Amino acid sequence: MVTRAHHSPMPPLNAYVSSLGGSPIRTLLSLAQDPDIISFGGGAPASEAFDVEGIGKSYQRVLEEHGPRALQYSSTEGEPELRRAVAERMTLNGLATDADDVLITSGSQQGLGLIGQVVLDPDSIVLTENPTFVSALQAFALSRAQFRPVDTDSGGLVPEALEAAILQYAPRAVYLIPTFQNPTGVTMPESRRREVADVLARYNVWLIEDDPYSELRYDDWTMTPISADPRLTHKSLYLGTLSKVLAPGLRIGWVRGPQEALETLATTKQGTSLQTSTIDQLAAVDWLDHNDLDAKLVPIRAEYRRRRDAMVEGLDSVLPAGYTLNTPMGGMFLWATLPEPFDASESVMDAVKAGVVYIPGMQFYVADPKPSTLRLSFVSNSVDVIAEGLKRLRTVFE
């Protein structure tokens, strides 16, 4: 047993960062680690969908063919082969990109953190959808940014409201998740993307476009990123990741943006993590070289769609009469609104006691939180487990 001396108090920590506190969502997800609890909480892909064998072969090949290089330090910007592969993938998906336009990051969350450090000054205003991705708010809050909501509807951000907010607040950046948004699942249609691009083109403001989910579409269509508009080339920072389509444990993400901004992002990355794992990058490239990602995604998309449909159908006998539900065309999340006077925040611990967990919607708002909302993830559990989880959840809202 280690004994600890108590001679004096601990030296102080950064007062601002300490004041931010932890994430209530993380606390709920820690409860979900209990194997007896069915979690509809996290945004994790299905573990059984991971190509464990194929990824293992890639690591083996990389070590056999490039062992010393794979185990050595590498460039902050990322391995050239991976930057090229990412650029080719984005170009195929409608966002014309060269390798030099890409900075590899350790997951897109690191990209959000770097963007917060590089783009935002203390008290810089960031306009966001409301609700929005909590971890982005955490990343930007470390730079002491201030957040202002922009009105949204069933098609996402309202362009007229965006322009009004830009004129009112003079923001440094606009943060958007246009495709299968987290937490609502909403997708912005093509016509509105053009209208949003029209607004952004008129003002000196950064677009931070977060796109972790667009490969998980359940119909045969694609949406063009807002960042593809050539008028935004010099003021768009686009984030992507392999976490949702290959494996989150690889920690491979990227930022696509103007090269001058990427240089500053790289300098900032040097001061925090130096580089993204060399062997992980090379293994990802090897896997992409030896596998057809689109073909691999076909059965995964089909299974996720089945799970979505099972949860949507099952919720009709679980949630109280008068609820509304957004059924997404892809991604990972359902967003429900309960009728008054139900409060999803008050009910969540009852759900945990019943052996199931969801995320109360209030956690995702930057202003005017709605206690009647909740987010449910449908991808992590099989159809049978979803049915059992909904059976448990039914007791909470009876």
Side-chain angles (χ1 to χ4, degrees):
M1 180 177 176
V2 177
T3 57
R4 301 184 186 277
H6 296 282
H7 300 302
S8 61
M10 184 182 76
L13 302 174
N14 179 291
Y16 175 73
V17 174
S18 300
S19 72
L20 295 176
S23 166
I25 293 177
R26 288 287 173 192
T27 303
L28 281 173
L29 294 181
S30 67
L31 294 174
Q33 297 303 309
D34 183 334
D36 293 328
I37 291 181
I38 294 174
S39 177
F40 297 151
S47 299
E48 65 271 22
F50 299 154
D51 182 15
V52 176
E53 182 180 357
I55 293 173
K57 289 179 179 177
S58 287
Y59 275 96
Q60 184 175 357
R61 274 192 298 267
V62 165
L63 285 170
E64 289 175 353
E65 299 173 12
H66 311 286
R69 176 189 171 192
L71 299 175
Q72 187 54 278
Y73 286 117
S74 182
S75 70
T76 305
E77 291 80 5
E79 292 299 301
E81 300 98 319
L82 183 56
R83 295 172 77 191
R84 283 197 296 270
V86 166
E88 289 170 5
R89 185 80 187 170
M90 283 194 289
T91 300
L92 284 173
N93 288 335
L95 182 56
T97 305
D98 294 325
D100 289 343
D101 302 328
V102 176
L103 171 74
I104 301 298
T105 58
S106 300
S108 59
Q109 185 62 34
Q110 184 185 51
L112 289 168
L114 293 172
I115 288 170
Q117 289 177 275
V118 168
V119 169
L120 305 174
D121 290 312
D123 296 323
S124 290
I125 300 294
V126 180
L127 301 181
T128 74
E129 297 149 319
N130 191 40
T132 191
F133 179 44
V134 173
S135 294
L137 301 179
Q138 289 179 306
F140 301 154
L142 289 171
S143 297
R144 306 195 183 202
Q146 302 292 317
F147 304 104
R148 300 291 183 270
V150 180
D151 289 343
T152 58
D153 60 19
S154 60
L157 200 76
V158 176
E160 295 81 5
L162 172 61
E163 184 152 34
I166 290 174
L167 292 171
Q168 181 177 357
Y169 297 115
R172 180 68 58 84
V174 178
Y175 173 71
L176 297 177
I177 313 171
T179 307
F180 316 137
Q181 199 249 10
N182 182 3
T184 64
V186 165
T187 293
M188 186 183 293
E190 288 280 6
S191 58
R192 184 168 295 190
R193 291 172 190 239
R194 290 191 291 271
E195 292 173 5
V196 168
D198 288 342
V199 172
L200 293 172
R202 291 196 285 271
Y203 299 97
N204 189 29
V205 58
W206 283 101
L207 166 64
I208 304 171
E209 183 172 7
D210 201 356
D211 188 21
Y213 307 111
S214 64
E215 298 270 25
L216 299 180
R217 56 187 179 272
Y218 303 146
D219 294 293
D220 189 22
W221 54 267
T222 57
M223 286 288 176
T224 306
I226 300 171
S227 297
D229 191 301
R231 297 171 297 174
L232 306 182
T233 300
H234 64 294
K235 51 184 174 183
S236 161
L237 295 165
Y238 171 97
L239 297 113
T241 180
L242 291 181
S243 290
K244 307 302 187 290
V245 296
L246 191 51
L250 280 174
R251 306 312 303 138
I252 299 295
W254 55 87
V255 178
R256 180 245 194 214
Q259 291 177 23
E260 184 177 353
L262 294 187
E263 290 171 6
T264 309
L265 288 167
T267 302
T268 306
K269 183 182 173 186
Q270 287 171 3
T272 55
S273 66
L274 192 62
Q275 64 162 96
T276 299
S277 165
T278 313
I279 189 170
D280 291 351
Q281 292 185 70
L282 294 178
V285 171
D286 182 274
W287 190 92
L288 291 169
D289 285 344
H290 286 84
N291 295 274
D292 183 339
L293 178 56
D294 287 314
K296 292 279 187 179
L297 284 172
V298 169
I300 294 173
R301 289 168 177 156
E303 177 59 23
Y304 284 179
R305 179 172 183 161
R306 221 164 62 89
R307 296 180 182 190
R308 177 202 64 182
D309 293 346
M311 185 174 279
V312 168
E313 182 178 345
L315 281 170
D316 201 44
S317 62
V318 171
L319 298 181
Y323 79 92
T324 61
L325 186 70
N326 177 52
T327 303
M329 297 181 287
M332 295 184 161
F333 305 112
L334 297 177
W335 182 253
T337 303
L338 306 177
E340 300 294 342
F342 286 94
D343 186 328
S345 296
E346 291 182 357
S347 303
V348 70
M349 293 315 297
D350 293 332
V352 172
K353 291 175 185 175
V356 63
V357 66
Y358 60 82
I359 303 298
M362 286 184 68
Q363 310 294 339
F364 298 95
Y365 286 86
V366 298
D368 305 317
K370 295 181 179 179
S372 59
T373 56
L374 64 150
R375 190 193 76 176
L376 299 142
S377 175
F378 55 83
V379 299
S380 303
N381 299 299
S382 69
V383 168
D384 289 342
V385 175
I386 287 172
E388 174 59 27
L390 293 177
K391 180 181 175 182
R392 298 178 186 183
L393 192 59
R394 187 177 300 119
T395 65
V396 176
F397 295 114
E398 285 178 338

